[in-house]
């Protein structure tokens, strides 16, 4: 079993959000030793969602309980609060002949382009960070790791930006490895940005 920690619950949330139909994950009654109550909100979930979510949760906390809340499309739309304009992925390309990744992002009416020659996963993640900087949104931490499931086609990509208390994890699955790596990097960035917006302004 993985060590009980806040970081492991972040990992659990990311894994649960990858399940088909899941739109929100919440935690309550967190016990650092072995238990946690997990609430999973889903829209048009698959029939085995409850069993799959419970199995995942108990791999992190042995006494985890899972509650599945199924909502209709209208309720899901109304549950999403209005948010600021988010950075959007326009393209994520990797040229195996030229070994260069290129990522284009947009924010409102602006576009930012980043490039890297480090391969389809690390290179695309690095290019995404460069594109964020081009939009005027640099991260104060570095890209630490990019990983995916070896030998599995179109498996999720996990990106970690920063270390220790400054680590932000993103995970995503797209139509290709470069797209997955770029979306995972944006997921980590959005977690960083959301956390920073939540901090009190001095």
């Amino acid at each position: 079993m993985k060590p009980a920690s806040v970081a492991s619950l972040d990992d659990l949330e990311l894994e649960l959000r990858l399940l088909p139909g899941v739109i929100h994950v919440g935690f309550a009654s967190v016990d650092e030793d072995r238990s946690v109550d997990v609430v999973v909100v889903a829209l048009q979930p698959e029939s085995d969602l409850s069993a799959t979510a419970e199995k995942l949760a108990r791999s992190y906390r042995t006494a985890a309980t899972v509650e599945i809340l199924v909502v209709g499309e209208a309720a899901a739309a109304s549950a999403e609060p209005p948010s600021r304009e988010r950075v959007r992925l326009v393209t994520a390309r990797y040229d195996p002949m030229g070994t260069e990744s290129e990522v284009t992002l947009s924010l409102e009416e602006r576009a930012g382009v980043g490039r890297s020659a480090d391969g389809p996963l690390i290179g695309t993640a690095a290019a995404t960070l460069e594109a964020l900087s081009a939009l005027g949104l640099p991260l104060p931490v570095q890209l630490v790791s990019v990983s995916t499931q070896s030998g599995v086609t179109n498996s999720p990509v996990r990106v970690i930006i920063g270390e220790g208390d400054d680590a932000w994890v993103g995970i995503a699955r797209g139509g290709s490895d470069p797209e997955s790596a770029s979306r995972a990097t944006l997921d980590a960035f959005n977690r960083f940005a959301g956390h920073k917006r939540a901090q009190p302004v001095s």
Side-chain angles (χ1 to χ4, degrees):
M1 188 181 77
K2 301 181 182 181
S5 68
V6 173
S8 70
L9 287 184
D10 287 342
D11 290 344
L12 173 57
E13 178 188 352
L14 291 167
E15 291 198 53
L16 289 170
R17 282 178 176 270
L18 278 176
L19 298 177
V22 173
I23 60 174
H24 181 71
V25 176
F27 299 109
S29 303
V30 178
D31 184 319
E32 287 300 326
D33 292 328
R34 62 190 189 90
S35 68
V36 63
D37 294 336
V38 184
V39 177
V40 176
V41 182
L43 175 67
Q44 297 179 339
E46 294 189 351
S47 59
D48 62 348
L49 175 60
S50 180
T52 303
E54 188 171 283
K55 182 177 179 182
L56 271 174
R58 288 184 177 173
S59 71
Y60 284 82
R61 301 291 172 88
T62 55
T65 63
V66 177
E67 179 182 5
I68 307 293
L69 299 179
V70 180
V71 299
E73 292 190 20
S78 64
E80 289 293 327
S83 60
R84 302 179 185 186
E85 181 69 19
R86 277 192 160 199
V87 175
R88 300 186 183 280
L89 174 63
V90 179
T91 58
R93 300 190 184 102
Y94 171 69
D95 177 9
M97 301 302 292
T99 69
E100 184 176 78
S101 298
E102 180 182 284
V103 172
T104 302
L105 304 176
S106 68
L107 178 62
E108 296 175 340
E109 297 181 357
R110 295 178 291 137
V113 179
R115 295 180 180 86
S116 175
D118 292 328
L121 292 180
I122 295 176
T124 306
T128 303
L129 292 179
E130 186 177 296
L132 284 168
S133 292
L135 287 171
L137 302 168
L139 277 165
V141 290
Q142 301 299 310
L143 178 66
V144 172
S145 72
V146 182
S147 59
T148 191
Q149 193 170 348
S150 178
V152 178
T153 304
N154 196 31
S155 60
V157 174
R158 181 186 300 259
V159 171
I160 300 177
I161 299 170
E163 297 179 285
D165 292 339
D166 293 323
W168 303 94
V169 182
I171 189 167
R173 175 167 33 210
S176 65
D177 282 348
E179 181 187 344
S180 297
S182 187
R183 291 191 183 282
T185 306
L186 287 177
D187 186 33
F189 168 75
N190 285 328
R191 287 171 181 275
F192 162 81
H195 175 79
K196 291 303 178 185
R197 285 198 296 267
Q199 299 306 302
V201 178
S202 56

